[in-house]
Amino acid sequence: MGRVTRSALLACGVAATTLVCTAPAFSKDVITFAAAVFAEAGRGEKAKAWVESFNRSQDEVEVQPIAIPFSTLANTVFTQMGGGGGPDLVRFDQTDYFSAAPSGRLLPIDEVVDTSAYAFMPPDRFLPVDGKRYGLLFDITGYALLYNTSILPEPPTTFDAFLQAAKDHTRDGIYGFAFRATMAERAGFWQDLCNFVFGHGRRWSDDAGNLTLNSPEVVAGVAAYKAVYDAEVIPKGADAATYRRMFWENKIAMNIDNGGVAAIFHQNSPELTFAAAPSPFPDPAQGLIMTMLSVNANTQHKDAAATFITWAYAPENQKALQQAMGTSVGTVLELTPEEQAEQPWLAVYDKQMETALPQLVMGHEDKTPEIQQVVLEKVLEVLQGGADPQEAMDQAQRLVERRVLRN
């Protein structure tokens, strides 16, 4: 039975010290929380269990997880929001967050909780949009080199050494490396390409938001991508699900991937011997995956959302979330040596947070999907059609300026 108050007892016509009737149980304030992670095998069940620990912790609010696959979450939630509904809480990836933030779909998060109470991880600096935050970092990870230590005992530290190691270990059904290079996996193709571009010292735009698609450094990153593609060291055409499975089957020597993948390797194949190291590029910058916890502007349960968020960002619950996700979370955590030993790759990925960059065209975050389409089409011409990297990226710069930015 729910809590029984003095007023409820008096409504039964009895003294508050004597219970002689059954007062109606107080129902919880139920809110919904949509996230793609709830649909994932392994991590999804752990994330749901984390939410359930909140539900058991008190008797005023209940959070109902809603599992929506990553590929359909944005369209589903945006459509619902446009109709005045939608889940109360949403875990957005970075592209969808920057699309939703300026649209009026989300509440400024400072209207819900006091953000000054938390010590956020460095990527928090990317969240403000027009001076306001519309979410809190939920889980984050950068990219690093994952290598199978039974195949490759020590990681390469330069690009030339990396490429040579990939060639040396491509034999007898084993590939030296793997990445994406098809439009069927456009989002992943873009993520992998960003690592090569960032790792060669350039971003897709400068600090003022001017496009730099055809800068020498971007071209160097594209050329490096082509060098790996041409070296016959990757399972060409394999999607990420396939080559990640091949990695834990000891058929891939190296892969540059995010920390969530390391966690999945550890969970799904605990006997696999692998380690993480900085990516072997001239610049330490690599891609950053951020997800943000946001509050739907349509919510009728603002106080209940605040109750959950306050619980979620308490240090002990952040640590429980980190253990469930296998990646870094939004706030700075102090892990014990024992906790670090359980997930040794975390130290490498946490260090990456110092230089990690969102896989967005900064200054044109909401235009990133359109810019991405143009860039990847031109990169495919380099990979598959033999186009010159500089000429291809010159064309990409002109096309984006004319078609996307309308300059």
Side-chain angles (χ1 to χ4, degrees), residues 115-155:
T115 58
S116 67
Y118 307 109
F120 292 109
M121 291 287 280
D124 174 70
R125 68 187 185 274
F126 297 116
L127 267 59
V129 176
D130 296 329
K132 292 184 178 181
R133 284 197 238 202
Y134 293 88
L136 302 177
L137 289 173
F138 188 76
D139 62 309
I140 56 176
T141 183
Y143 280 73
L145 181 73
L146 297 175
Y147 62 102
N148 186 318
T149 56
S150 67
I151 300 173
L152 186 70
E154 296 294 331

Side-chain angles (χ1 to χ4, degrees), residues 380-402:
L380 277 179
E381 291 179 9
V382 173
L383 300 182
Q384 299 178 2
D388 176 73
Q390 183 67 64
E391 292 180 2
M393 298 314 295
D394 286 343
Q395 293 172 12
Q397 178 91 6
R398 290 193 296 269
L399 286 170
V400 170
E401 289 178 344
R402 185 172 71 249

Side-chain angles (χ1 to χ4, degrees), residues 171-333:
R171 62 178 184 272
D172 302 326
I174 296 174
Y175 290 89
F177 190 63
F179 63 24
R180 289 161 287 202
T182 68
M183 293 302 282
E185 290 216 302
R186 192 180 89 171
F189 184 6
W190 172 259
Q191 291 171 338
D192 291 346
L193 179 64
C194 282
N195 291 325
F196 277 68
V197 169
F198 296 169
H200 282 80
R202 179 54 70 178
R203 322 306 171 225
W204 301 110
S205 57
D206 63 20
D207 291 342
N210 300 307
L211 290 182
T212 56
L213 306 183
N214 61 344
S215 67
E217 296 89 348
V218 168
V219 172
V222 172
Y225 211 81
K226 178 175 173 57
V228 176
Y229 187 84
D230 288 347
E232 301 298 332
V233 297
I234 66 170
K236 290 183 179 178
D239 60 16
T242 298
Y243 68 66
R244 286 167 178 164
R245 187 187 69 248
M246 291 172 66
F247 188 101
W248 77 58
E249 291 174 346
N250 295 296
K251 296 177 181 178
I252 301 285
M254 296 178 288
N255 185 28
I256 294 174
D257 223 324
N258 67 75
V261 172
I264 291 170
F265 286 165
H266 179 68
Q267 292 171 6
N268 291 359
S269 186
E271 73 283 356
L272 177 67
T273 56
F274 75 94
S279 296
F281 297 127
D283 192 302
Q286 288 287 264
L288 168 68
I289 292 179
M290 302 184 291
T291 69
M292 277 64 75
L293 179 61
S294 296
V295 180
N296 185 349
N298 297 324
T299 186
Q300 301 298 308
H301 306 277
K302 182 176 173 180
D303 290 344
T307 297
F308 174 69
I309 292 171
T310 300
W311 176 90
Y313 284 83
E316 64 273 17
N317 299 321
Q318 283 282 281
K319 184 168 286 190
L321 177 63
Q322 185 276 313
Q323 291 170 345
M325 301 297 288
T327 60
S328 299
V329 290
T331 58
V332 177
L333 295 179

